[in-house]
Amino acid sequence: MTGIPHYPMYIDGRWRDASSSLEVRDPATNELVATVAQGDVTVADEAVAAAKAAHACGVWRMTPPDERARILDAIADNLAARFDELTALQVRENGATARSAGAFLLGYSIAHLKYFASLARSYAFEESGLLIEAPTLAAGVLRREPVGVCAGIVPWNFPLLLAVWKLGPALAAGNTIVLKPDDQTPLTLLELARAADEVGLPAGVLNVVTGPGQVVGARLAEHPDVRKVAFTGSTEVGKTVMRAAAGNVKKVTLELGGKGANIVCDDADLDLAVDGTLFGFLLMCGQACESGTRLLLHESIHDEFVRRLVARASTLVVGNPMDPTTDIGPLISAKQKARVEKYIALGQEAGCKVAFQGTVPAEAGLADGHWVAPTILTGATNDMRVAREEIFGPVLVVIKCADDAEAVAIANDSEYGLSAGVWSADNERALAIARELESGTVWINDWHMVNAMFPFGGMKQSGLGRELGPRALDEYTEQKFVHVDMTNDRAKRVYAVVVSAAATA
Ligand code: NAD
């Protein structure tokens, strides 16, 4: 395997290898990209011990927030300086197209790290001088302190970005963290560790352990020294993490699945909505939890909209993700391909019509990739499995509705509540619909626009807590109230209700 890079893990400021390895393969070609040390429970425990020691000695939590911000900025700058190299690595690691890897995965990761640095500078870590007048004169201090050792469990679809959403607030708030990437996509997280190491993040503050989720992820979720776990992934595994976290009552943030309802009103700019609908369900070949995968069309525009959607979809290029002209890349794995194909068959069995199915690349070199053609299923109803379950692939189901009220009812008839969208020329109408939707994010005349200054997360079974936004550090801090008596007068003390002032005089 000459020329194939090998990545050790990053623990306590050192690169740590293991006796067995994982293989990372390019989803477009199935070629071996790298081998990676395979961690286990022992290594997970080592990483937690390193993070615990770094927290206890105060090397990071006692570093002033401005200095913590400077280091987070420096990590972001280090990633930016390697933008092209890391974009290419991201493409090879998980099949993101070069365009989306650059703009979303790298671009957002860098910008969001800088946002968390700005939060470190502005966050109210201590508010003192709070005057308490009753029942006694006292001063109050409200402190927000780091929780300690955090664990971040990250999926394969946006590995670097979703790691930044955990590492950024954790480190801005003064915690230490152990990150666990998905075993299919550990490379960009290990490059994130390299960046942190190069800019001088103290040893033990960030640790990356690679290995199977059911072993390493499960250990981190239940570890008694981990005080907070942030998880992004499937709803099913999220519930397992939540149950494991109950063992020592960890703080928990969960970003889980979705079945985004995309409502196109009868007054929408149809061509704009067509492009937005395709973008909404095809970014990352549909492997994005916030995708718009249920298209709810008003009856009056249904046929014309589907006609335009199919015409536009047929212009999209599915192919080599490294080519900047490619619109859609492969799925992550053979397993994911089989899952998506199963759902396309299930939709047809339930009575859906395949209104569009694109092509997959036939060129040499891509034959062993995990390709599924973009597929539009019309004639769906909201009780079908293709409308209720997360497919996580390039599949759109189209459902007719009579009016805005029915569109809202169908949109909300889901166990998920992560994302939704409304297309209308009338902002008041769209906002009225948005107010009724049970969804953590609603886009009006747009999709996928995640803004670091606003919280991201799901309602219902799409998650718990929020990442991003001005309160992001709240999820990584404990509040402590310190009461300082100002009277120095024994007679006035309220504990005289138990111990009389006279008796203690
Ligand atoms: P997954 O739940 O299988 O894996 C996610 C992560 O959890 C991986 O790192 C995995 O190794 C780890 N893991 C697996 N079993 C574990 C266990 N028992 N204990 C602890 N960790 C464990 O999900 P996936 O297949 O990587 O991603 C697809 C799913 O994730 C979809 O349902 C998608 O919607 C969801 N997702 C949600 C978001 C979001 O922001 N809400 C983002 C990306 C993916």
Side-chain angles (χ1 to χ4, degrees):
M1 289 200 296
T2 0
I4 302 291
H6 178 74
Y7 285 74
M9 294 173 273
Y10 184 70
I11 295 169
D12 205 14
R14 287 187 289 272
W15 296 98
R16 189 215 192 275
D17 213 343
S19 52
S20 57
S21 301
L22 298 162
E23 289 188 342
V24 177
R25 291 187 172 271
D26 183 334
T29 61
N30 208 27
E31 281 167 10
L32 188 61
V33 177
T35 56
V36 178
Q38 170 151 254
D40 54 17
V41 168
T42 307
V43 186
D45 286 356
E46 266 176 44
V48 172
K52 186 180 178 187
H55 186 71
C57 78
V59 64
W60 188 244
R61 69 186 158 85
M62 288 160 75
T63 296
D66 280 358
E67 174 61 8
R68 296 204 296 258
R70 189 192 66 74
I71 292 191
L72 285 174
D73 273 336
I75 299 173
D77 291 340
N78 183 299
L79 297 178
R82 300 166 61 205
F83 192 91
D84 291 345
E85 172 207 342
L86 294 177
T87 298
L89 185 68
Q90 185 67 91
V91 173
R92 295 215 73 199
E93 179 178 53
N94 79 345
T97 58
R99 291 210 310 268
S100 64
F104 275 92
L105 286 92
L106 258 291
Y108 271 20
S109 297
I110 293 163
H112 292 185
L113 261 179
K114 288 192 170 272
Y115 176 72
F116 289 121
S118 76
L119 283 188
R121 291 191 182 94
S122 62
Y123 193 68
F125 286 103
E126 185 165 301
E127 295 169 72
S128 55
L130 308 172
L131 191 65
I132 305 158
E133 289 185 275
T136 182
L137 184 65
V141 181
L142 175 58
R143 288 178 51 75
R144 292 184 181 83
E145 300 182 348
V147 297
V149 178
C150 303
I153 302 175
V154 180
W156 42 260
N157 55 352
F158 299 96
L160 182 61
L161 180 63
L162 296 172
V164 161
W165 287 10
K166 294 158 183 60
L167 163 122
L171 267 49
N175 300 282
T176 58
I177 190 164
V178 179
L179 288 178
K180 195 217 77 71
D182 189 280
D183 44 13
Q184 299 164 101
T185 57
L187 305 182
T188 43
L189 263 73
L190 289 162
E191 294 296 345
L192 176 67
R194 190 190 309 280
D197 188 74
E198 284 175 2
V199 305
L201 185 74
V205 176
L206 164 65
N207 308 272
V208 181
V209 184
T210 49
Q214 284 152 345
V215 179
V216 175
R219 177 60 181 156
L220 293 175
E222 54 125 43
H223 199 297
D225 290 333
V226 172
R227 298 297 321 153
K228 149 102 196 180
V229 59
F231 169 86
T232 303
S234 59
T235 297
E236 187 192 343
V237 176
K239 290 178 185 176
T240 308
V241 166
M242 198 171 172
R243 276 191 288 270
N248 66 334
V249 197
K250 288 179 184 64
K251 288 167 98 64
V252 179
T253 310
L254 303 174
E255 302 284 357
L256 308 175
K259 196 71 196 176
N262 179 15
I263 300 171
V264 181
C265 297
D266 48 10
D267 66 346
D269 175 332
L270 295 193
D271 289 327
L272 186 72
V274 159
D275 275 3
T277 297
L278 293 170
F279 176 56
F281 90 95
L282 289 173
L283 178 73
M284 203 52 221
C285 198
Q287 301 162 109
C289 49
E290 80 288 358
S291 298
T293 49
R294 286 183 295 157
L295 176 61
L296 308 188
L297 286 179
H298 281 246
E299 282 161 351
S300 59
I301 57 162
H302 176 276
D303 293 355
E304 176 60 13
F305 193 86
V306 169
R307 191 187 66 73
R308 293 193 202 188
L309 189 67
V310 168
R312 185 77 175 92
S314 60
T315 68
L316 299 178
V317 178
V318 182
N320 181 359
M322 209 59 96
D323 182 339
T325 63
T326 292
D327 298 304
I328 301 159
L331 292 171
I332 185 74
S333 62
K335 183 176 154 209
Q336 194 67 15
K337 175 178 150 100
R339 174 188 161 98
V340 175
E341 286 174 343
K342 180 197 83 179
Y343 275 106
I344 295 172
L346 273 174
Q348 289 172 272
E349 280 162 30
C352 292
K353 177 171 163 252
V354 179
F356 174 76
Q357 192 146 46
T359 52
V360 295
E363 65 217 71
L366 301 180
D368 293 333
H370 312 302
W371 304 99
V372 170
T375 303
I376 299 173
L377 300 174
T378 50
T381 53
N382 205 46
D383 56 349
M384 292 178 183
R385 284 185 65 187
V386 282
R388 304 204 75 77
E389 297 174 17
E390 187 171 54
I391 299 174
F392 231 51
V395 182
L396 180 71
V397 298
V398 185
I399 301 173
K400 273 187 194 171
C401 52
D403 52 26
D404 293 358
E406 194 188 15
V408 167
I410 294 171
N412 289 344
D413 178 17
S414 170
E415 69 187 35
Y416 295 116
L418 187 64
S419 67
V422 186
W423 299 83
S424 167
D426 177 351
N427 279 342
E428 286 307 316
R429 175 179 180 183
L431 281 165
I433 294 172
R435 278 192 280 272
E436 293 300 311
L437 291 170
E438 295 168 352
S439 174
T441 296
V442 181
W443 287 289
I444 294 178
N445 297 328
D446 212 339
W447 209 281
H448 288 303
M449 288 301 116
V450 171
N451 186 327
M453 289 187 287
F454 292 90
F456 181 81
M459 297 183 184
K460 301 192 276 188
Q461 293 193 40
S462 285
L464 192 67
R466 294 290 183 271
E467 294 182 305
L468 305 180
R471 308 299 332 154
L473 270 54
D474 290 357
E475 305 267 357
Y476 288 84
T477 50
E478 295 281 12
Q479 296 190 53
K480 180 189 282 178
F481 167 57
V482 182
H483 168 109
V484 186
D485 181 83
M486 306 290 282
T487 61
N488 282 327
D489 178 349
R490 297 170 79 192
K492 283 192 188 158
R493 285 176 185 250
V494 282
Y495 52 65
V497 297
V498 177
V499 182
S500 88
T504 58

